[in-house]
Amino acid sequence: VNDNDQSVWSIDVATPVVDEGSGFITFVVSRTGASAAASINVATGGGSATGGSDYTALNQTLSFAAGETSKTVQVAITDDTVAEGNETVTASIANASVGTIAVPSVTSTILDNEQPVWSVETTTSSVDEGAGFITYIVSRTGALVAATLDFATAGGSATGGADYTVLNQTLNFAAGETSKTVQVAITDDALPEGNETVTASIANA
């Protein structure tokens, strides 16, 4: 049986997933039951994001007036230029002056907007069998840190090893490098086999 003469505190997040460039994360501290004047501490800590660099660390006491049931707390996010992946921020409540805490912490995820976006395309959507090779361009936008990506030929109606030279390799991109050219050799045979296709794929960035 819950004693409705006691405040029951909880913390929630209005923005469980937020883009790094959105400015802030919104947390909501609320209580049910008794609503006399009271105070409670809210602080950020834990999670994979770093307070002071990825977001502005918070540690403060919230004062609730009599009858007040919730307060909104905003934690500023740092929109940096570091490609660090998605990270989490945890906010917790403690030291309620009255009542009990039912939900002591909650976590929000910051989506890193510096993540590279990769693509592959061909400069020659159709090519004569005697042209010697097919040219593919692997490119990226976003963060340009040093990175690797796998490139492979697979699928399509052409036969690897007979109609073209099979490729399966790792591409090494230096910091700042935006694209690489990959050439796949074509076999100019004497077989009447009709038009065929070669598919190239990228994976494991």
Side-chain angles (χ1 to χ4, degrees), residues 61-83:
T61 297
L62 302 179
S63 296
F64 279 67
E68 191 174 17
T69 59
S70 67
K71 280 186 178 292
T72 298
V73 179
Q74 290 187 329
V75 174
I77 304 168
T78 305
D79 187 6
D80 56 33
T81 58
V82 180

Side-chain angles (χ1 to χ4, degrees), residues 119-173:
S119 63
V120 60
E121 60 183 349
T122 177
T123 61
T124 48
S125 57
S126 63
V127 59
D128 188 87
E129 185 179 70
F133 52 81
I134 306 169
T135 300
Y136 293 96
I137 305 294
V138 179
S139 59
R140 61 176 176 170
T141 58
L144 302 179
V145 297
T148 61
L149 181 76
D150 290 341
F151 175 95
T153 51
S157 58
T159 303
D163 297 314
Y164 67 93
T165 300
V166 174
L167 281 186
N168 190 342
Q169 65 185 78
T170 298
L171 304 179
N172 294 291
F173 280 69

Side-chain angles (χ1 to χ4, degrees), residues 44 46-57 76 78 80 84 87-89 110:
T44 50
S48 57
T50 303
S53 58
D54 296 316
Y55 65 94
T56 301
T78 305
D80 56 33
E84 53 202 344
E87 297 178 302
T88 58
V89 178
I110 302 173

